Amino acid sequence: MSHVLRTEGLNKRFGGIVVCDDVNLTIAGGEILGLIGPNGAGKTSLFNLISGVLRPDSGTIRLNGKAVNGEPLYRRARLGVARTWQHMLLFRSMTVMENMLVAPRHYPGESILRVTVGRAGVRSAERTARERAHAILDRMALDGTADMPVTDLPFGQQKLIGLARALMNDGPLLLLDEPMAGVEGAAYETMQRVVRQEAESGRAICVVEHNVSFIRDLCSRAVFMINGRILQDGPVEELISSTTLTELYFGA
Amino acid sequence: MEYLGTIGILIAIYIILAASYNLVIGYGGLATVAHPIFFAIGAYVSGLLAIHTTLPPPVSVLVGSGCAMLASLLLAASALRVSGDYLLIASLGFQLGLLQLIKNLAFTGGPGGLGGIPATIVGPSRTPVYLAIAVVLAIATVFAIRALVRGPYGRAITAMRDEELAFSALGRNAMSMKLVIFAIGCGIAGIAGGIYTFYFQYISPDQFEVLQSAAILTMVVLGGMGTAFGPVVGAVLLLAIPQAITFLQLPPSIMAPMQGIIFTLLVLVFLFLRPAGILGDTGRRRRSAGLT
């Protein structure tokens, strides 16, 4: 089986605090991996290492077999690492559509040359991006919100927009940081459906989530982390039913 | 008429300065105070070229602007690498340091300033021609910046200012965008410096002190930071008011402090009544100006 993501001996510490301790993780295309563990276990730090927000002290991160350690954050996104944030980090002064349009892997609008002398190319890229954005919003039944200021949406819908914006990146890897925190009702159903569809389309997905039923419904495999270490890697049911892990999780 | 023409040229030059500063600080969110030093680089380089070479004036102005751009890249590339906040203090040091250098070098004329810049246009049409050039350039600057920030580029700038981390994680190179915005803004300030030099034929280091930074910042804030026409309103207002009160025929002992008092009052009144500036809006536009 070919792995979309493979980390080898990943280490990271901040002074005396170890946030990542010899982490070896693999995710295959089409797989939804659950990443669970108590607060401070190093789950988000692992996402930050994979997406390039942080540089590891040692170890290798491979995307489709190719080491991406040296690539900065923005270039990893272009290589196909898409992610969401626990606190969404939406562009708050912009509309939903504007949020979406900044997000394609290759966006010509950031190049001063292309927006001044390559206008035709920019226009066609904009058109393509707009179509893609509408299609994604439509799947979430949020197309009607396209021209609304993103801060006018209720919390659950903002969470969905965070996912929708990440989906503008059509790369092979998707990292979801607590997508369900604070989300309920219709948004919950939508989130689950869309994440499942993305996996079916062949993406490798990793979800950090405290909502155990969400993990149980979506993932077949999960990883339990504590103190920057992977303690157990296996079928979800096995992890959830483990009393040792439950005790660790609740700090008993 | 000559007098009004000169004021018109000065206003146009400051519109160019305020508009380009607004691009950097208002739209780009890059906190710098060193804008006058890029104005100075443009002024000195084109002035020195005019004195020592036979280059046509437009070329001298462009070379001056290019030098301002290069200097801005040097400052931004080193300061922004550390962190965005570092730019404020680094720009202040850059401004003071470079100004000291200008004051202490022989070929820049030292503290006495650089004079003897040859007149390129002579005769009665001189002021009207310069006025036309300055006004056209001011209009071009304002509308070019407006066009830039309205399109996809402006969207990217706004996104970067809103959430730089998320912006980068979407595949956007925030650092290179900041450098480009900074270089464009400072390059435009250099052009303003070139026009100033060729019209007034004399420049002195005192004109580019930190007080100038405050004046240009006040124009941008008063007019409306992050709005296309705010800097125009700010520049006109701040340059026209001192001229207007000279018509009151007050004795100089009252006149001098009057200007300071009026400026301070204006800033205070605006801070309370319209913190987003005259053209600034509350709500969405205000948020995009980075004021909330």
Side-chain angles (χ1 to χ4, degrees):
Chain A
M1 189 161 63
S2 72
H3 294 296
V4 169
L5 177 80
R6 173 189 288 275
T7 73
E8 294 157 0
L10 216 52
N11 286 292
K12 178 74 184 176
R13 52 167 62 223
F14 296 111
I17 301 166
V18 181
V19 294
C20 191
D21 185 0
D22 193 30
V23 168
N24 297 289
L25 187 74
T26 55
I27 311 174
E31 183 182 24
I32 308 175
L33 175 73
L35 189 54
I36 50 182
N39 287 324
K43 306 182 297 290
T44 298
S45 293
L46 183 56
F47 271 16
N48 286 341
L49 287 165
I50 296 169
S51 61
V53 178
L54 296 174
R55 294 291 172 97
D57 297 334
S58 62
T60 313
I61 300 158
R62 290 183 192 280
L63 192 65
N64 282 328
K66 183 173 165 276
V68 295
N69 287 42
E71 306 288 351
L73 176 61
Y74 76 91
R75 228 165 331 169
R76 284 198 212 173
R78 290 183 193 176
L79 288 170
V81 181
R83 71 168 290 180
T84 68
W85 308 83
Q86 193 182 341
H87 300 292
M88 298 178 286
L89 305 188
L90 298 176
F91 306 126
R92 299 176 60 80
S93 63
M94 302 180 12
T95 65
V96 169
M97 181 50 82
E98 286 166 341
N99 265 272
M100 303 285 285
L101 290 180
V102 182
R105 269 208 267 180
H106 301 287
Y107 171 67
E110 70 190 296
S111 154
I112 193 89
L113 267 182
R114 294 187 64 183
V115 294
T116 44
V117 297
R119 301 185 74 109
V122 172
R123 261 198 298 275
S124 89
E126 284 273 299
R127 212 164 29 239
T128 316
R130 209 172 276 272
E131 278 164 18
R132 183 173 170 80
H134 277 301
I136 293 171
L137 291 174
D138 205 34
R139 270 169 64 195
M140 299 184 177
L142 285 176
D143 205 28
T145 67
D147 295 320
M148 283 167 69
V150 74
T151 45
D152 284 2
L153 299 186
F155 184 83
Q157 292 190 357
Q158 287 191 32
K159 275 281 206 194
L160 284 174
I161 298 301
L163 172 63
R165 189 179 65 179
L167 293 184
M168 288 297 285
N169 182 329
D170 55 0
L173 181 64
L174 179 62
L175 308 173
L176 304 174
D177 199 350
E178 301 203 19
M180 300 318 295
V183 177
E184 47 199 27
Y188 186 103
E189 305 293 322
T190 310
M191 187 77 80
Q192 216 170 38
R193 173 171 50 80
V194 172
V195 172
R196 194 171 278 132
Q197 285 168 352
E198 286 303 315
E200 280 160 9
S201 78
R203 264 201 232 241
I205 302 176
C206 186
V207 191
V208 165
E209 189 50 66
H210 288 291
N211 184 324
V212 174
S213 68
F214 185 77
I215 294 279
R216 195 195 325 242
D217 289 347
L218 280 179
C219 316
S220 48
R221 188 181 138 226
V223 161
F224 188 93
M225 269 186 94
I226 191 160
N227 298 331
R229 240 172 195 292
I230 292 182
L231 205 67
Q232 199 170 336
D233 182 343
V236 169
E237 289 306 328
E238 209 171 282
L239 263 76
I240 289 173
S241 56
S242 156
T243 46
T244 332
L245 295 186
T246 312
E247 276 168 16
L248 282 170
Y249 193 99
F250 292 107
Chain B
M1 268 327 280
E2 176 81 15
Y3 172 69
L4 284 181
T6 302
I7 293 180
I9 291 170
L10 211 55
I11 288 178
I13 286 173
Y14 273 89
I15 288 175
I16 299 174
L17 278 175
S20 56
Y21 190 46
N22 182 41
L23 172 68
V24 174
I25 195 169
Y27 290 113
L30 301 171
T32 162
V33 291
H35 216 57
I37 204 67
F38 301 108
F39 181 42
I41 292 173
Y44 272 95
V45 170
S46 54
L48 286 167
L49 286 174
I51 294 171
H52 300 293
T53 70
T54 53
L55 283 176
V59 176
S60 299
V61 172
L62 284 179
V63 173
S65 160
C67 289
M69 227 180 222
L70 274 179
S72 76
L73 280 175
L74 279 178
L75 167 63
S78 52
L80 289 175
R81 199 159 289 279
V82 187
S83 98
D85 305 327
Y86 197 72
L87 182 62
L88 184 64
I89 203 76
S91 68
L92 187 62
F94 188 77
Q95 157 123 343
L96 295 174
L98 218 54
L99 216 51
Q100 268 318 308
L101 206 63
I102 291 173
K103 282 182 190 168
N104 287 291
L105 286 173
F107 72 94
T108 57
L114 185 66
I117 295 154
T120 23
I121 306 168
V122 283
S125 63
R126 177 178 153 80
T127 300
V129 168
Y130 270 104
L131 182 62
I133 294 172
V135 167
V136 166
L137 279 175
I139 292 172
T141 303
V142 170
F143 279 90
I145 291 175
R146 179 166 174 261
L148 190 66
V149 298
R150 280 183 143 197
Y153 198 75
R155 189 198 299 137
I157 296 175
T158 310
M160 177 178 76
R161 216 179 39 218
D162 273 2
E163 282 298 346
E164 190 175 330
L165 186 59
F167 180 71
S168 305
L170 291 170
R172 312 281 78 89
N173 188 346
M175 184 66 176
S176 92
M177 274 199 75
K178 285 183 190 175
L179 291 180
V180 168
I181 296 167
F182 200 65
I184 291 176
C186 296
I188 296 174
I191 292 181
I195 302 166
Y196 186 95
T197 297
F198 276 100
Y199 180 70
F200 289 98
Q201 296 173 266
Y202 168 76
I203 41 178
S204 117
D206 301 336
Q207 297 164 265
F208 309 107
E209 291 283 2
V210 176
L211 211 61
Q212 277 293 310
S213 312
I216 304 172
L217 179 63
T218 309
M219 288 173 188
V220 172
V221 171
L222 218 65
M225 207 188 252
T227 64
F229 299 109
V232 180
V233 175
V236 171
L237 211 63
L238 256 75
L239 288 170
I241 288 172
Q243 301 304 331
I245 57 173
T246 55
F247 287 109
L248 294 177
Q249 308 274 343
L250 296 168
S253 57
I254 302 178
M255 272 296 293
M258 265 287 269
Q259 293 200 354
I261 290 169
I262 288 177
F263 276 11
T264 314
L265 267 181
L266 267 178
V267 171
L268 286 176
V269 165
F270 272 87
L271 274 178
F272 278 107
L273 297 183
R274 285 197 75 90
I278 296 172
L279 297 188
D281 203 358
T282 46
R284 193 152 170 259
R285 247 201 297 169
R286 181 169 163 196
R287 259 182 282 145
S288 71
L291 290 168
T292 47

